[in-house]
Amino acid sequence: MNSLFLAVIGVAMMIGGYLLYSKFLGKKVFQLSPSYKTPAHTMEDGVDFVPTNKYVLWGHHFTSVAGAAPIIGPAVAVIWGWFPAFLWVTIGTVFAAGMHDMGVLWASQRHRGQSIGLLSGRYIGKRGRMLFLVVIFLLLLMVNTAFGVVISGLLISTPSSVIPTWGAIAVALCIGQAIYRLKWNLPLVSVVGVVALYSLMLIGDKYPISLPETVLGIPAAGVWIIILFIYAFCASLLPVWMLLQPRDYINGLQLFIGLGILYASFLFTRPDLVAPAFREDVPAGTPGMFPLLFVTIACGAISGFHGMVASGTSSKQLDKETDARFVGYFGAVGEGLLALGTIIATTAGFRTYQEWESIYSEFNAGGVNAFVEGGGNLLNEGLGISTSLSATILATMAVLFAATTMDSGVRLQRIVVQEIGDTAGIKINTFLATCIAVLVAFGLTFSQGTDGSGGMTIWPLFGTTNQLMAGLSLSILLLILMHLRRPTWPILIPLLFLTVMSLWAAFIQLGTFFQEGNWLLFSMDVIIVLAAIWIIVEVFLAVGRMKQTKQIEWTDEDIDAPKPEPVDSKA
């Protein structure tokens, strides 16, 4: 099958979802109001709560949620064939991911910018809230530690990506000053920023930088991870307008252009998919496609991490409530396009089936390297970009996606630490909470040695934990809509499907960990599964209590605009 046909169908489905389905959600389900005063205005503090242009905020949301996972997941899942991965990415983006991101963003900003874990206490009680926060903390720990390892590996394997990766920080700081201090107009800032980033790629390709094998007895991988954690610590303490917003915005533009270049290569080369639609001769040891497909591809179809970004940082920067449609739904579409591009790059970027099969010789053998290699071949053949520069562009894309997610992840971890403290009656200041967040992640990362390999210790739990988190977030959204007497089927159907698949996968993993004698992962999986089941029980109890309540009482902490004005259909 020709890859261009697959790309056109996939892109059309996602754009159609934004133009049609998100409009329905905004008008009938979430009833976005252009006159509602968001927490970015009512609670503006110049640090976390900052009214933000919707295009800049989209850049933050898109790049924060689209880390390495929408590359890793699809690049691994095509081992079962390209068709199941394609279906889950496209249908999941349109009916699950976009709705989830948009809905959680709306719910959070209607509750004074509270995180999904904290606002859950209003609907399922204190026990459920604490369990929610524990699951969120563990999920963020997985993301922050694993992405540090992934970024480090890419900086070592593709040294030409070092200069553009770190140079992007300087560009972002300048962009922040240009927007908020010098008041430059956004188009000018955008052009200057994108040109600067791509210039850095050209410089990086010409002057690759590699660390010595060891520095003070620490391997190069460990050194990069230490530098990354120091950066993430500092970045999470700065006001969002100074680094986080401009970095994510300009990265979002650059990454979207990168996606455009990748899709242009599909147009010019029009390669056939060398991988089968359904692979029957999967390598020995490959788990069954059901239900593992739906947790292997998390980001790119639907992801619980998105809810943490939407409610942790994005909701605090939403200028107008109607912007939730563009920021939340279209942010998820951006990630879906990345996942779709990954599927095509990893199945059409190799000349023969035998060449592709040699890469996918065992489960988890694909990943980022398959994306960089396959996509690099297409850029070289279709656009005439040198193999070296192609690898630099794609590796930098992957690094910047992962780095912006790590930026937001550490900031979110800090917020969760503070929320856990508040729940326990302990006041934790921002600096101390950041120290706790970074030190816990740092300790786990170096628990297996100075190379930082411990960062991947609990990563096998990410898929199931992430999807369980998405299901739990949807359950809170369901309760909120039931309170408002609004349509719930757009939430209920994905919620039931995702919960069943995630719990099914989690129980399969429990058996695997038990047989392998991996007691750390087994114990953590038990904790996560029990917490998720407990929260689900609390949700059922909350539904029961709600049905017995004849009248809904509203407070300032609840949804305070039961009858909003009609949504702006041009949002």
Side-chain angles (χ1 to χ4, degrees):
M1 181 178 177
N2 192 279
S3 60
L4 183 60
F5 183 66
L6 198 67
V8 169
I9 292 177
V11 171
M13 288 176 66
M14 294 184 200
I15 298 301
Y18 173 70
L19 295 176
L20 300 174
Y21 191 56
S22 75
K23 186 176 181 179
F24 161 77
L25 292 172
K27 187 174 183 180
K28 299 295 185 181
V29 180
F30 305 126
Q31 297 183 19
L32 306 179
S33 170
S35 63
Y36 178 75
K37 204 166 185 181
T38 65
H41 292 280
T42 60
M43 303 174 66
E44 184 175 0
D45 62 5
V47 178
D48 293 318
F49 291 85
V50 179
T52 304
N53 178 285
K54 72 176 183 179
Y55 298 105
V56 176
L57 185 55
W58 169 83
H60 158 69
H61 186 78
F62 167 52
T63 55
S64 293
V65 300
I71 296 175
I72 296 172
V76 170
V78 293
I79 196 168
W80 291 301
W82 59 261
F83 189 65
F86 171 79
L87 278 184
W88 177 226
V89 163
T90 51
I91 295 175
T93 295
V94 171
F95 294 106
M99 174 274 298
H100 170 271
D101 287 26
M102 180 180 174
V104 175
L105 178 57
W106 162 78
S108 174
Q109 62 88 38
R110 282 282 176 154
H111 290 79
R112 300 185 301 168
Q114 291 181 339
S115 74
I116 189 68
L118 198 59
L119 71 86
S120 67
R122 171 62 182 160
Y123 295 94
I124 60 175
K126 293 182 179 180
R127 291 175 307 191
R129 178 177 61 190
M130 182 56 79
L131 291 168
F132 225 111
L133 290 172
V134 168
V135 175
I136 291 173
F137 183 88
L138 291 175
L139 182 56
L140 286 170
L141 183 61
M142 295 173 199
V143 171
N144 293 335
T145 55
F147 279 21
V149 175
V150 170
I151 297 169
S152 171
L154 284 168
L155 292 175
I156 291 174
S157 64
T158 315
S160 56
S161 66
V162 171
I163 288 179
T165 294
W166 296 106
I169 298 172
V171 173
L173 288 169
C174 293
I175 292 297
Q177 296 297 318
I179 293 175
Y180 288 99
R181 298 286 192 188
L182 303 179
K183 305 299 181 182
W184 287 13
N185 67 68
L186 195 58
L188 175 61
V189 170
S190 302
V191 171
V192 172
V194 169
V195 170
L197 282 180
Y198 275 95
S199 298
L200 287 170
M201 290 186 195
L202 293 173
I203 296 171
D205 184 54
K206 191 172 182 179
Y207 301 102
I209 295 177
S210 298
L211 291 178
E213 289 189 11
T214 60
V215 178
L216 300 176
I218 302 174
V223 173
W224 279 129
I225 292 172
I226 292 171
I227 295 173
L228 284 165
F229 274 120
I230 293 172
Y231 160 72
F233 176 86
C234 297
S236 68
L237 291 173
L238 292 175
V240 290
W241 67 265
M242 188 176 291
L243 179 60
L244 186 69
Q245 270 187 10
R247 174 181 167 86
D248 290 355
Y249 171 65
I250 206 66
N251 281 349
L253 287 180
Q254 184 271 135
L255 296 169
F256 221 67
I257 291 171
L259 276 178
I261 293 173
L262 182 62
Y263 276 85
S265 73
F266 303 156
L267 176 64
F268 288 108
T269 59
R270 285 171 284 184
D272 289 329
L273 302 170
V274 298
F278 295 94
R279 189 179 184 186
E280 297 179 357
D281 58 334
V282 295
T286 302
M289 184 172 65
F290 285 94
L292 270 298
L293 171 69
F294 304 100
V295 297
T296 301
I297 300 180
C299 300
I302 182 173
S303 163
F305 181 74
H306 290 207
M308 289 183 280
V309 173
S311 64
T313 57
S314 299
S315 65
K316 297 174 176 62
Q317 303 169 60
L318 198 68
D319 184 33
K320 298 178 181 178
E321 187 174 76
T322 49
D323 291 349
R325 181 184 168 205
F326 182 78
V327 173
Y329 196 100
F330 196 64
V333 167
E335 188 183 59
L337 291 173
L338 174 60
L340 175 62
T342 299
I343 292 171
I344 297 173
T346 54
T347 56
F350 300 92
R351 293 180 178 81
T352 64
Y353 172 72
Q354 289 72 27
E355 188 176 330
W356 177 84
E357 189 179 35
S358 67
I359 298 293
Y360 287 90
S361 58
E362 60 179 347
F363 189 64
N364 282 328
V368 176
N369 289 334
F371 168 74
V372 172
E373 182 178 348
N377 291 336
L378 293 175
L379 293 183
N380 177 247
E381 295 172 10
L383 303 178
I385 302 175
S386 69
T387 303
S388 173
L389 183 56
S390 297
T392 300
I393 292 173
L394 294 177
T396 302
M397 278 179 61
V399 169
L400 292 181
F401 270 125
T404 49
T405 299
M406 190 175 176
D407 280 3
S408 297
V410 172
R411 184 178 289 261
L412 290 169
Q413 189 86 318
R414 177 255 291 176
I415 293 172
V416 170
V417 169
Q418 290 177 299
E419 290 179 347
I420 291 175
D422 290 341
T423 302
I426 303 171
K427 188 69 175 178
I428 304 176
N429 65 46
T430 299
F431 182 81
L432 179 58
T434 305
C435 289
I436 293 172
V438 172
L439 288 176
V440 171
F442 190 85
L444 177 62
T445 303
F446 289 95
S447 62
Q448 303 295 318
T450 55
D451 61 349
S453 57
M456 302 302 293
T457 302
I458 60 176
W459 180 252
L461 294 171
F462 173 77
T464 52
T465 307
N466 191 40
Q467 299 302 68
L468 282 172
M469 185 65 222
L472 298 178
S473 298
L474 289 178
S475 68
I476 302 302
L477 193 56
L478 177 71
L479 290 174
I480 294 172
L481 292 174
M482 289 179 69
H483 269 290
L484 290 166
R485 303 290 193 262
R486 293 182 188 169
T488 57
W489 62 264
I491 287 82
L492 186 59
I493 294 173
L495 167 61
L496 293 175
F497 177 80
L498 199 62
T499 302
V500 169
M501 290 297 167
S502 301
L503 285 176
W504 183 5
F507 281 115
I508 289 176
Q509 279 192 321
L510 277 174
T512 302
F513 297 147
F514 182 82
Q515 292 175 356
E516 294 174 350
N518 192 330
W519 304 118
L520 173 63
L521 293 184
F522 179 82
S523 301
M524 291 189 65
D525 204 6
V526 168
I527 293 171
I528 292 167
V529 169
L530 290 178
I533 292 174
W534 194 337
I535 295 171
I536 292 169
V537 171
E538 295 284 356
V539 170
F540 275 108
L541 293 175
V543 171
R545 291 192 298 270
M546 194 183 307
K547 289 183 177 180
Q548 295 174 2
T549 303
K550 295 181 180 180
Q551 184 177 0
I552 302 171
E553 296 182 358
W554 299 94
T555 70
D556 291 338
E557 293 185 15
D558 287 318
I559 312 288
D560 57 5
K563 295 180 180 179
E565 297 178 15
V567 66
D568 180 2
S569 62
K570 296 181 180 180

